[in-house]
């Protein structure tokens, strides 16, 4: 049971290049999330998928696209990378909103450190 | 706009000291307030508080939520060097069936021996 896995761990891009960050979870969770964390800041939500087949924008979606490929996998794509997208990217998953339950803990992956030159 | 603010942003103390970390929030559709500890990598869950005035305790860590004044505090007593980390608070919102977290900037806590 690996939990939430992310690939790659590190990536360096040049401005204008594209890439896809991969995330997979093996906990049969319904909801998945992508966050970015910049130095001195907390995590900011980029996109989320409440359930398979749906995706929605978070706080900072500009410059990103996502795909919920299936229940396990949720990818984040940068079509034309910019230096402002240099950050650490975390994927997370949870059971989502279940009636009569307050909170379904979000489990985080180990992160991808992305540098855009 | 949903906002979570933590203070101080950075704190350096000696081992054995007691520290208090602050978190205030202004959000809509609030459900709960969560505290996370982040060392080198991903955040790890510490507490969730939903009702006002409820104090959660786990060993040397405790936390209180005040839903009237919209803030929470995290206390750590008898600090150890292993407590050095970034502590994040987050407001849990329930929006259109999805649970979303809005994080504060974090407090970087350094415990010196």
């Amino acid at each position: 049971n690996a939990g939430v896995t992310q690939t790659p761990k590190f990536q360096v891009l040049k401005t204008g290049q594209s890439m896809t960050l991969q995330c997979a979870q093996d906990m049969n969770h319904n909801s998945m999330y992508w966050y970015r964390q910049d130095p001195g800041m907390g995590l900011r939500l980029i996109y989320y998928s409440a359930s398979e087949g749906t995706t929605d924008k978070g706080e900072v979606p500009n410059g990103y696209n996502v795909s919920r490929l299936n229940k396990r996998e949720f990818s984040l794509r940068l079509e034309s990378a910019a230096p402002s997208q240099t950050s650490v990217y975390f994927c997370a998953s949870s059971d989502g909103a279940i009636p009569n339950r307050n909170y379904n803990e979000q489990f985080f992956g180990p992160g991808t450190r992305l540098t855009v030159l | 706009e949903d906002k979570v603010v933590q203070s101080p942003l950075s704190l350096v103390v000696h081992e054995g000291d007691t520290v208090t970390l602050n978190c205030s929030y202004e959000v809509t559709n609030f459900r709960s307030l969560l505290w996370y500890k982040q060392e080198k990598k991903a955040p790890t869950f510490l507490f969730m508080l939903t009702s006002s005035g409820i104090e959660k305790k786990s060993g040397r860590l405790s936390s209180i939520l005040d839903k009237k004044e919209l803030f929470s505090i995290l206390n750590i007593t008898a600090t150890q060097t292993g407590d050095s980390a970034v502590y994040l608070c987050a407001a849990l919102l329930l929006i259109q069936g999805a649970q979303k977290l809005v994080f504060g900037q974090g407090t970087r806590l350094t415990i010196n021996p």
Side-chain angles (χ1 to χ4, degrees), chain A residues 40-76:
Chain A
M41 298 187 71
L43 283 72
R44 291 183 292 169
L45 184 64
I46 305 171
Y47 270 93
Y48 66 99
S49 170
S51 60
E52 189 179 354
T54 69
T55 60
D56 284 288
K57 294 178 181 179
E59 298 171 68
V60 288
N62 291 344
Y64 305 96
N65 284 305
V66 289
S67 296
R68 184 73 183 267
L69 304 167
N70 47 55
K71 193 171 186 181
R72 287 189 63 246
E73 297 171 288
F74 189 38
S75 63
L76 178 73

PDB file of all heavy atoms in Angstrom, chain A residues 40-76:
ATOM      1  N   GLY A  40       7.897  30.152   2.076  1.00  0.00           N
ATOM      2  CA  GLY A  40       7.259  31.043   3.036  1.00  0.00           C
ATOM      3  C   GLY A  40       5.749  31.085   2.930  1.00  0.00           C
ATOM      4  O   GLY A  40       5.113  31.948   3.551  1.00  0.00           O
ATOM      5  N   MET A  41       5.187  30.169   2.156  1.00  0.00           N
ATOM      6  CA  MET A  41       3.731  30.176   2.008  1.00  0.00           C
ATOM      7  C   MET A  41       3.172  28.793   2.281  1.00  0.00           C
ATOM      8  O   MET A  41       3.865  27.787   2.189  1.00  0.00           O
ATOM      9  CB  MET A  41       3.346  30.617   0.596  1.00  0.00           C
ATOM     10  CG  MET A  41       3.795  32.022   0.273  1.00  0.00           C
ATOM     11  SD  MET A  41       3.169  32.599  -1.284  1.00  0.00           S
ATOM     12  CE  MET A  41       1.441  32.811  -0.906  1.00  0.00           C
ATOM     13  N   GLY A  42       1.913  28.783   2.606  1.00  0.00           N
ATOM     14  CA  GLY A  42       1.231  27.503   2.756  1.00  0.00           C
ATOM     15  C   GLY A  42       0.909  26.912   1.400  1.00  0.00           C
ATOM     16  O   GLY A  42       1.351  27.399   0.359  1.00  0.00           O
ATOM     17  N   LEU A  43       0.143  25.859   1.405  1.00  0.00           N
ATOM     18  CA  LEU A  43      -0.255  25.212   0.158  1.00  0.00           C
ATOM     19  C   LEU A  43      -1.444  25.945  -0.447  1.00  0.00           C
ATOM     20  O   LEU A  43      -2.373  26.328   0.262  1.00  0.00           O
ATOM     21  CB  LEU A  43      -0.637  23.756   0.419  1.00  0.00           C
ATOM     22  CG  LEU A  43       0.519  22.771   0.623  1.00  0.00           C
ATOM     23  CD1 LEU A  43       1.211  22.980   1.958  1.00  0.00           C
ATOM     24  CD2 LEU A  43       0.018  21.345   0.486  1.00  0.00           C
ATOM     25  N   ARG A  44      -1.415  26.108  -1.754  1.00  0.00           N
ATOM     26  CA  ARG A  44      -2.524  26.736  -2.448  1.00  0.00           C
ATOM     27  C   ARG A  44      -3.100  25.743  -3.451  1.00  0.00           C
ATOM     28  O   ARG A  44      -2.365  25.123  -4.215  1.00  0.00           O
ATOM     29  CB  ARG A  44      -2.078  28.018  -3.150  1.00  0.00           C
ATOM     30  CG  ARG A  44      -1.720  29.147  -2.192  1.00  0.00           C
ATOM     31  CD  ARG A  44      -1.359  30.425  -2.929  1.00  0.00           C
ATOM     32  NE  ARG A  44      -0.116  30.290  -3.666  1.00  0.00           N
ATOM     33  CZ  ARG A  44       0.322  31.168  -4.562  1.00  0.00           C
ATOM     34  NH1 ARG A  44      -0.405  32.232  -4.852  1.00  0.00           N
ATOM     35  NH2 ARG A  44       1.481  30.986  -5.180  1.00  0.00           N
ATOM     36  N   LEU A  45      -4.412  25.636  -3.455  1.00  0.00           N
ATOM     37  CA  LEU A  45      -5.085  24.650  -4.282  1.00  0.00           C
ATOM     38  C   LEU A  45      -5.116  25.101  -5.734  1.00  0.00           C
ATOM     39  O   LEU A  45      -5.575  26.209  -6.046  1.00  0.00           O
ATOM     40  CB  LEU A  45      -6.511  24.431  -3.757  1.00  0.00           C
ATOM     41  CG  LEU A  45      -7.351  23.367  -4.441  1.00  0.00           C
ATOM     42  CD1 LEU A  45      -6.737  21.991  -4.232  1.00  0.00           C
ATOM     43  CD2 LEU A  45      -8.780  23.398  -3.906  1.00  0.00           C
ATOM     44  N   ILE A  46      -4.651  24.241  -6.633  1.00  0.00           N
ATOM     45  CA  ILE A  46      -4.629  24.558  -8.063  1.00  0.00           C
ATOM     46  C   ILE A  46      -5.915  24.051  -8.709  1.00  0.00           C
ATOM     47  O   ILE A  46      -6.676  24.820  -9.299  1.00  0.00           O
ATOM     48  CB  ILE A  46      -3.407  23.926  -8.755  1.00  0.00           C
ATOM     49  CG1 ILE A  46      -2.106  24.340  -8.054  1.00  0.00           C
ATOM     50  CG2 ILE A  46      -3.356  24.339 -10.224  1.00  0.00           C
ATOM     51  CD1 ILE A  46      -0.883  23.583  -8.550  1.00  0.00           C
ATOM     52  N   TYR A  47      -6.124  22.769  -8.641  1.00  0.00           N
ATOM     53  CA  TYR A  47      -7.321  22.113  -9.151  1.00  0.00           C
ATOM     54  C   TYR A  47      -7.667  20.965  -8.218  1.00  0.00           C
ATOM     55  O   TYR A  47      -6.810  20.451  -7.501  1.00  0.00           O
ATOM     56  CB  TYR A  47      -7.065  21.516 -10.545  1.00  0.00           C
ATOM     57  CG  TYR A  47      -7.345  22.417 -11.713  1.00  0.00           C
ATOM     58  CD1 TYR A  47      -6.334  23.201 -12.262  1.00  0.00           C
ATOM     59  CD2 TYR A  47      -8.608  22.462 -12.298  1.00  0.00           C
ATOM     60  CE1 TYR A  47      -6.579  24.031 -13.350  1.00  0.00           C
ATOM     61  CE2 TYR A  47      -8.863  23.286 -13.401  1.00  0.00           C
ATOM     62  CZ  TYR A  47      -7.844  24.063 -13.911  1.00  0.00           C
ATOM     63  OH  TYR A  47      -8.085  24.878 -14.994  1.00  0.00           O
ATOM     64  N   TYR A  48      -8.918  20.546  -8.270  1.00  0.00           N
ATOM     65  CA  TYR A  48      -9.301  19.358  -7.542  1.00  0.00           C
ATOM     66  C   TYR A  48     -10.323  18.570  -8.359  1.00  0.00           C
ATOM     67  O   TYR A  48     -10.939  19.088  -9.291  1.00  0.00           O
ATOM     68  CB  TYR A  48      -9.859  19.701  -6.151  1.00  0.00           C
ATOM     69  CG  TYR A  48     -11.158  20.459  -6.143  1.00  0.00           C
ATOM     70  CD1 TYR A  48     -12.372  19.811  -5.937  1.00  0.00           C
ATOM     71  CD2 TYR A  48     -11.169  21.839  -6.320  1.00  0.00           C
ATOM     72  CE1 TYR A  48     -13.558  20.511  -5.922  1.00  0.00           C
ATOM     73  CE2 TYR A  48     -12.352  22.547  -6.304  1.00  0.00           C
ATOM     74  CZ  TYR A  48     -13.548  21.886  -6.094  1.00  0.00           C
ATOM     75  OH  TYR A  48     -14.722  22.585  -6.079  1.00  0.00           O
ATOM     76  N   SER A  49     -10.442  17.305  -7.957  1.00  0.00           N
ATOM     77  CA  SER A  49     -11.416  16.416  -8.593  1.00  0.00           C
ATOM     78  C   SER A  49     -12.200  15.754  -7.470  1.00  0.00           C
ATOM     79  O   SER A  49     -11.671  14.912  -6.754  1.00  0.00           O
ATOM     80  CB  SER A  49     -10.690  15.376  -9.439  1.00  0.00           C
ATOM     81  OG  SER A  49     -11.580  14.377  -9.876  1.00  0.00           O
ATOM     82  N   ALA A  50     -13.446  16.175  -7.303  1.00  0.00           N
ATOM     83  CA  ALA A  50     -14.251  15.648  -6.192  1.00  0.00           C
ATOM     84  C   ALA A  50     -14.563  14.167  -6.394  1.00  0.00           C
ATOM     85  O   ALA A  50     -14.702  13.415  -5.432  1.00  0.00           O
ATOM     86  CB  ALA A  50     -15.540  16.451  -6.047  1.00  0.00           C
ATOM     87  N   SER A  51     -14.688  13.768  -7.636  1.00  0.00           N
ATOM     88  CA  SER A  51     -14.949  12.354  -7.929  1.00  0.00           C
ATOM     89  C   SER A  51     -14.489  12.080  -9.354  1.00  0.00           C
ATOM     90  O   SER A  51     -14.254  13.015 -10.137  1.00  0.00           O
ATOM     91  CB  SER A  51     -16.426  12.027  -7.762  1.00  0.00           C
ATOM     92  OG  SER A  51     -17.199  12.811  -8.639  1.00  0.00           O
ATOM     93  N   GLU A  52     -14.382  10.817  -9.693  1.00  0.00           N
ATOM     94  CA  GLU A  52     -13.954  10.453 -11.040  1.00  0.00           C
ATOM     95  C   GLU A  52     -14.885  11.086 -12.053  1.00  0.00           C
ATOM     96  O   GLU A  52     -16.102  11.048 -11.906  1.00  0.00           O
ATOM     97  CB  GLU A  52     -13.997   8.929 -11.165  1.00  0.00           C
ATOM     98  CG  GLU A  52     -13.382   8.391 -12.426  1.00  0.00           C
ATOM     99  CD  GLU A  52     -13.431   6.874 -12.488  1.00  0.00           C
ATOM    100  OE1 GLU A  52     -13.847   6.252 -11.491  1.00  0.00           O
ATOM    101  OE2 GLU A  52     -13.056   6.323 -13.525  1.00  0.00           O
ATOM    102  N   GLY A  53     -14.292  11.720 -13.065  1.00  0.00           N
ATOM    103  CA  GLY A  53     -15.105  12.336 -14.099  1.00  0.00           C
ATOM    104  C   GLY A  53     -15.381  13.811 -13.898  1.00  0.00           C
ATOM    105  O   GLY A  53     -15.965  14.455 -14.768  1.00  0.00           O
ATOM    106  N   THR A  54     -14.974  14.372 -12.746  1.00  0.00           N
ATOM    107  CA  THR A  54     -15.185  15.810 -12.515  1.00  0.00           C
ATOM    108  C   THR A  54     -13.875  16.469 -12.118  1.00  0.00           C
ATOM    109  O   THR A  54     -13.048  15.871 -11.421  1.00  0.00           O
ATOM    110  CB  THR A  54     -16.198  16.065 -11.387  1.00  0.00           C
ATOM    111  OG1 THR A  54     -15.626  15.661 -10.140  1.00  0.00           O
ATOM    112  CG2 THR A  54     -17.490  15.301 -11.610  1.00  0.00           C
ATOM    113  N   THR A  55     -13.691  17.707 -12.580  1.00  0.00           N
ATOM    114  CA  THR A  55     -12.562  18.517 -12.137  1.00  0.00           C
ATOM    115  C   THR A  55     -13.045  19.952 -11.959  1.00  0.00           C
ATOM    116  O   THR A  55     -13.970  20.389 -12.674  1.00  0.00           O
ATOM    117  CB  THR A  55     -11.387  18.503 -13.141  1.00  0.00           C
ATOM    118  OG1 THR A  55     -11.826  19.025 -14.389  1.00  0.00           O
ATOM    119  CG2 THR A  55     -10.846  17.094 -13.341  1.00  0.00           C
ATOM    120  N   ASP A  56     -12.437  20.673 -11.010  1.00  0.00           N
ATOM    121  CA  ASP A  56     -12.813  22.053 -10.747  1.00  0.00           C
ATOM    122  C   ASP A  56     -11.595  22.876 -10.399  1.00  0.00           C
ATOM    123  O   ASP A  56     -10.601  22.349  -9.876  1.00  0.00           O
ATOM    124  CB  ASP A  56     -13.822  22.125  -9.589  1.00  0.00           C
ATOM    125  CG  ASP A  56     -15.198  21.709 -10.006  1.00  0.00           C
ATOM    126  OD1 ASP A  56     -15.854  22.478 -10.736  1.00  0.00           O
ATOM    127  OD2 ASP A  56     -15.606  20.604  -9.624  1.00  0.00           O
ATOM    128  N   LYS A  57     -11.700  24.184 -10.667  1.00  0.00           N
ATOM    129  CA  LYS A  57     -10.596  25.083 -10.369  1.00  0.00           C
ATOM    130  C   LYS A  57     -10.507  25.359  -8.880  1.00  0.00           C
ATOM    131  O   LYS A  57     -11.520  25.441  -8.189  1.00  0.00           O
ATOM    132  CB  LYS A  57     -10.795  26.405 -11.116  1.00  0.00           C
ATOM    133  CG  LYS A  57     -10.724  26.277 -12.628  1.00  0.00           C
ATOM    134  CD  LYS A  57     -10.972  27.611 -13.298  1.00  0.00           C
ATOM    135  CE  LYS A  57     -10.917  27.458 -14.819  1.00  0.00           C
ATOM    136  NZ  LYS A  57     -11.185  28.747 -15.511  1.00  0.00           N
ATOM    137  N   GLY A  58      -9.261  25.512  -8.417  1.00  0.00           N
ATOM    138  CA  GLY A  58      -9.022  25.940  -7.049  1.00  0.00           C
ATOM    139  C   GLY A  58      -8.685  27.419  -7.011  1.00  0.00           C
ATOM    140  O   GLY A  58      -9.207  28.207  -7.786  1.00  0.00           O
ATOM    141  N   GLU A  59      -7.764  27.796  -6.116  1.00  0.00           N
ATOM    142  CA  GLU A  59      -7.398  29.210  -5.946  1.00  0.00           C
ATOM    143  C   GLU A  59      -6.536  29.740  -7.080  1.00  0.00           C
ATOM    144  O   GLU A  59      -6.622  30.915  -7.448  1.00  0.00           O
ATOM    145  CB  GLU A  59      -6.584  29.392  -4.661  1.00  0.00           C
ATOM    146  CG  GLU A  59      -7.277  29.030  -3.376  1.00  0.00           C
ATOM    147  CD  GLU A  59      -6.274  29.059  -2.226  1.00  0.00           C
ATOM    148  OE1 GLU A  59      -5.790  30.155  -1.876  1.00  0.00           O
ATOM    149  OE2 GLU A  59      -5.945  27.972  -1.708  1.00  0.00           O
ATOM    150  N   VAL A  60      -5.620  28.917  -7.607  1.00  0.00           N
ATOM    151  CA  VAL A  60      -4.603  29.398  -8.550  1.00  0.00           C
ATOM    152  C   VAL A  60      -4.533  28.503  -9.784  1.00  0.00           C
ATOM    153  O   VAL A  60      -3.507  27.872 -10.046  1.00  0.00           O
ATOM    154  CB  VAL A  60      -3.217  29.512  -7.860  1.00  0.00           C
ATOM    155  CG1 VAL A  60      -3.193  30.674  -6.892  1.00  0.00           C
ATOM    156  CG2 VAL A  60      -2.842  28.214  -7.153  1.00  0.00           C
ATOM    157  N   PRO A  61      -5.586  28.424 -10.607  1.00  0.00           N
ATOM    158  CA  PRO A  61      -5.595  27.477 -11.725  1.00  0.00           C
ATOM    159  C   PRO A  61      -4.900  27.954 -13.000  1.00  0.00           C
ATOM    160  O   PRO A  61      -4.614  27.138 -13.889  1.00  0.00           O
ATOM    161  CB  PRO A  61      -7.095  27.323 -11.990  1.00  0.00           C
ATOM    162  CG  PRO A  61      -7.665  28.655 -11.608  1.00  0.00           C
ATOM    163  CD  PRO A  61      -6.836  29.136 -10.440  1.00  0.00           C
ATOM    164  N   ASN A  62      -4.624  29.272 -13.091  1.00  0.00           N
ATOM    165  CA  ASN A  62      -4.120  29.799 -14.368  1.00  0.00           C
ATOM    166  C   ASN A  62      -2.771  29.188 -14.727  1.00  0.00           C
ATOM    167  O   ASN A  62      -1.847  29.148 -13.923  1.00  0.00           O
ATOM    168  CB  ASN A  62      -4.009  31.317 -14.298  1.00  0.00           C
ATOM    169  CG  ASN A  62      -5.367  31.982 -14.237  1.00  0.00           C
ATOM    170  OD1 ASN A  62      -6.375  31.360 -14.537  1.00  0.00           O
ATOM    171  ND2 ASN A  62      -5.391  33.229 -13.828  1.00  0.00           N
ATOM    172  N   GLY A  63      -2.663  28.743 -15.977  1.00  0.00           N
ATOM    173  CA  GLY A  63      -1.419  28.161 -16.470  1.00  0.00           C
ATOM    174  C   GLY A  63      -1.355  26.651 -16.318  1.00  0.00           C
ATOM    175  O   GLY A  63      -0.347  26.037 -16.675  1.00  0.00           O
ATOM    176  N   TYR A  64      -2.417  26.054 -15.781  1.00  0.00           N
ATOM    177  CA  TYR A  64      -2.441  24.605 -15.542  1.00  0.00           C
ATOM    178  C   TYR A  64      -3.691  23.972 -16.143  1.00  0.00           C
ATOM    179  O   TYR A  64      -4.727  24.626 -16.282  1.00  0.00           O
ATOM    180  CB  TYR A  64      -2.454  24.316 -14.035  1.00  0.00           C
ATOM    181  CG  TYR A  64      -1.335  24.930 -13.258  1.00  0.00           C
ATOM    182  CD1 TYR A  64      -1.513  26.151 -12.607  1.00  0.00           C
ATOM    183  CD2 TYR A  64      -0.098  24.297 -13.154  1.00  0.00           C
ATOM    184  CE1 TYR A  64      -0.488  26.733 -11.884  1.00  0.00           C
ATOM    185  CE2 TYR A  64       0.935  24.868 -12.424  1.00  0.00           C
ATOM    186  CZ  TYR A  64       0.732  26.077 -11.791  1.00  0.00           C
ATOM    187  OH  TYR A  64       1.753  26.648 -11.065  1.00  0.00           O
ATOM    188  N   ASN A  65      -3.569  22.694 -16.460  1.00  0.00           N
ATOM    189  CA  ASN A  65      -4.719  21.867 -16.804  1.00  0.00           C
ATOM    190  C   ASN A  65      -4.587  20.549 -16.060  1.00  0.00           C
ATOM    191  O   ASN A  65      -3.477  20.150 -15.698  1.00  0.00           O
ATOM    192  CB  ASN A  65      -4.778  21.594 -18.313  1.00  0.00           C
ATOM    193  CG  ASN A  65      -5.268  22.794 -19.075  1.00  0.00           C
ATOM    194  OD1 ASN A  65      -6.339  23.322 -18.796  1.00  0.00           O
ATOM    195  ND2 ASN A  65      -4.479  23.257 -20.028  1.00  0.00           N
ATOM    196  N   VAL A  66      -5.713  19.886 -15.850  1.00  0.00           N
ATOM    197  CA  VAL A  66      -5.681  18.608 -15.150  1.00  0.00           C
ATOM    198  C   VAL A  66      -6.509  17.582 -15.902  1.00  0.00           C
ATOM    199  O   VAL A  66      -7.377  17.922 -16.714  1.00  0.00           O
ATOM    200  CB  VAL A  66      -6.231  18.715 -13.708  1.00  0.00           C
ATOM    201  CG1 VAL A  66      -5.273  19.492 -12.814  1.00  0.00           C
ATOM    202  CG2 VAL A  66      -7.622  19.314 -13.698  1.00  0.00           C
ATOM    203  N   SER A  67      -6.189  16.332 -15.611  1.00  0.00           N
ATOM    204  CA  SER A  67      -6.981  15.222 -16.146  1.00  0.00           C
ATOM    205  C   SER A  67      -7.155  14.179 -15.058  1.00  0.00           C
ATOM    206  O   SER A  67      -6.160  13.735 -14.465  1.00  0.00           O
ATOM    207  CB  SER A  67      -6.267  14.564 -17.338  1.00  0.00           C
ATOM    208  OG  SER A  67      -6.143  15.444 -18.411  1.00  0.00           O
ATOM    209  N   ARG A  68      -8.423  13.830 -14.785  1.00  0.00           N
ATOM    210  CA  ARG A  68      -8.670  12.702 -13.883  1.00  0.00           C
ATOM    211  C   ARG A  68      -8.815  11.481 -14.785  1.00  0.00           C
ATOM    212  O   ARG A  68      -9.889  11.200 -15.321  1.00  0.00           O
ATOM    213  CB  ARG A  68      -9.943  12.948 -13.069  1.00  0.00           C
ATOM    214  CG  ARG A  68     -10.229  11.876 -12.034  1.00  0.00           C
ATOM    215  CD  ARG A  68      -9.316  11.940 -10.866  1.00  0.00           C
ATOM    216  NE  ARG A  68      -9.518  10.886  -9.900  1.00  0.00           N
ATOM    217  CZ  ARG A  68     -10.298  10.978  -8.824  1.00  0.00           C
ATOM    218  NH1 ARG A  68     -10.988  12.081  -8.612  1.00  0.00           N
ATOM    219  NH2 ARG A  68     -10.391   9.972  -7.992  1.00  0.00           N
ATOM    220  N   LEU A  69      -7.723  10.777 -14.948  1.00  0.00           N
ATOM    221  CA  LEU A  69      -7.646   9.705 -15.934  1.00  0.00           C
ATOM    222  C   LEU A  69      -8.548   8.535 -15.561  1.00  0.00           C
ATOM    223  O   LEU A  69      -9.150   7.886 -16.421  1.00  0.00           O
ATOM    224  CB  LEU A  69      -6.191   9.243 -16.063  1.00  0.00           C
ATOM    225  CG  LEU A  69      -5.211  10.386 -16.407  1.00  0.00           C
ATOM    226  CD1 LEU A  69      -3.772   9.940 -16.204  1.00  0.00           C
ATOM    227  CD2 LEU A  69      -5.438  10.859 -17.837  1.00  0.00           C
ATOM    228  N   ASN A  70      -8.606   8.236 -14.285  1.00  0.00           N
ATOM    229  CA  ASN A  70      -9.451   7.188 -13.726  1.00  0.00           C
ATOM    230  C   ASN A  70      -9.516   7.455 -12.227  1.00  0.00           C
ATOM    231  O   ASN A  70      -9.031   8.503 -11.767  1.00  0.00           O
ATOM    232  CB  ASN A  70      -8.875   5.791 -14.036  1.00  0.00           C
ATOM    233  CG  ASN A  70      -7.397   5.721 -13.734  1.00  0.00           C
ATOM    234  OD1 ASN A  70      -6.983   6.020 -12.610  1.00  0.00           O
ATOM    235  ND2 ASN A  70      -6.586   5.362 -14.724  1.00  0.00           N
ATOM    236  N   LYS A  71     -10.058   6.544 -11.461  1.00  0.00           N
ATOM    237  CA  LYS A  71     -10.203   6.825 -10.034  1.00  0.00           C
ATOM    238  C   LYS A  71      -8.837   6.954  -9.361  1.00  0.00           C
ATOM    239  O   LYS A  71      -8.676   7.698  -8.402  1.00  0.00           O
ATOM    240  CB  LYS A  71     -11.017   5.715  -9.366  1.00  0.00           C
ATOM    241  CG  LYS A  71     -11.473   6.090  -7.966  1.00  0.00           C
ATOM    242  CD  LYS A  71     -12.446   5.080  -7.412  1.00  0.00           C
ATOM    243  CE  LYS A  71     -12.977   5.580  -6.071  1.00  0.00           C
ATOM    244  NZ  LYS A  71     -13.928   4.631  -5.457  1.00  0.00           N
ATOM    245  N   ARG A  72      -7.838   6.254  -9.843  1.00  0.00           N
ATOM    246  CA  ARG A  72      -6.524   6.241  -9.200  1.00  0.00           C
ATOM    247  C   ARG A  72      -5.650   7.432  -9.568  1.00  0.00           C
ATOM    248  O   ARG A  72      -4.815   7.855  -8.791  1.00  0.00           O
ATOM    249  CB  ARG A  72      -5.759   4.968  -9.629  1.00  0.00           C
ATOM    250  CG  ARG A  72      -6.242   3.678  -9.037  1.00  0.00           C
ATOM    251  CD  ARG A  72      -5.279   2.554  -9.352  1.00  0.00           C
ATOM    252  NE  ARG A  72      -3.973   2.783  -8.747  1.00  0.00           N
ATOM    253  CZ  ARG A  72      -2.846   3.004  -9.414  1.00  0.00           C
ATOM    254  NH1 ARG A  72      -2.845   3.069 -10.746  1.00  0.00           N
ATOM    255  NH2 ARG A  72      -1.691   3.184  -8.787  1.00  0.00           N
ATOM    256  N   GLU A  73      -5.783   7.948 -10.783  1.00  0.00           N
ATOM    257  CA  GLU A  73      -4.769   8.861 -11.311  1.00  0.00           C
ATOM    258  C   GLU A  73      -5.318  10.252 -11.613  1.00  0.00           C
ATOM    259  O   GLU A  73      -6.408  10.409 -12.192  1.00  0.00           O
ATOM    260  CB  GLU A  73      -4.170   8.264 -12.583  1.00  0.00           C
ATOM    261  CG  GLU A  73      -3.456   6.949 -12.340  1.00  0.00           C
ATOM    262  CD  GLU A  73      -3.072   6.289 -13.656  1.00  0.00           C
ATOM    263  OE1 GLU A  73      -3.977   5.783 -14.361  1.00  0.00           O
ATOM    264  OE2 GLU A  73      -1.873   6.289 -13.971  1.00  0.00           O
ATOM    265  N   PHE A  74      -4.509  11.254 -11.278  1.00  0.00           N
ATOM    266  CA  PHE A  74      -4.891  12.658 -11.476  1.00  0.00           C
ATOM    267  C   PHE A  74      -3.623  13.399 -11.900  1.00  0.00           C
ATOM    268  O   PHE A  74      -2.697  13.535 -11.109  1.00  0.00           O
ATOM    269  CB  PHE A  74      -5.446  13.210 -10.158  1.00  0.00           C
ATOM    270  CG  PHE A  74      -6.070  14.569 -10.237  1.00  0.00           C
ATOM    271  CD1 PHE A  74      -6.831  14.959 -11.332  1.00  0.00           C
ATOM    272  CD2 PHE A  74      -5.941  15.458  -9.176  1.00  0.00           C
ATOM    273  CE1 PHE A  74      -7.433  16.212 -11.374  1.00  0.00           C
ATOM    274  CE2 PHE A  74      -6.541  16.714  -9.204  1.00  0.00           C
ATOM    275  CZ  PHE A  74      -7.294  17.079 -10.312  1.00  0.00           C
ATOM    276  N   SER A  75      -3.580  13.856 -13.140  1.00  0.00           N
ATOM    277  CA  SER A  75      -2.359  14.470 -13.643  1.00  0.00           C
ATOM    278  C   SER A  75      -2.515  15.977 -13.756  1.00  0.00           C
ATOM    279  O   SER A  75      -3.628  16.500 -13.944  1.00  0.00           O
ATOM    280  CB  SER A  75      -1.979  13.873 -15.005  1.00  0.00           C
ATOM    281  OG  SER A  75      -2.991  14.151 -15.950  1.00  0.00           O
ATOM    282  N   LEU A  76      -1.394  16.674 -13.661  1.00  0.00           N
ATOM    283  CA  LEU A  76      -1.349  18.141 -13.755  1.00  0.00           C
ATOM    284  C   LEU A  76      -0.428  18.510 -14.909  1.00  0.00           C
ATOM    285  O   LEU A  76       0.714  18.069 -14.944  1.00  0.00           O
ATOM    286  CB  LEU A  76      -0.810  18.738 -12.456  1.00  0.00           C
ATOM    287  CG  LEU A  76      -0.667  20.259 -12.417  1.00  0.00           C
ATOM    288  CD1 LEU A  76      -2.037  20.929 -12.320  1.00  0.00           C
ATOM    289  CD2 LEU A  76       0.202  20.683 -11.240  1.00  0.00           C
TER     290      LEU A  76
END
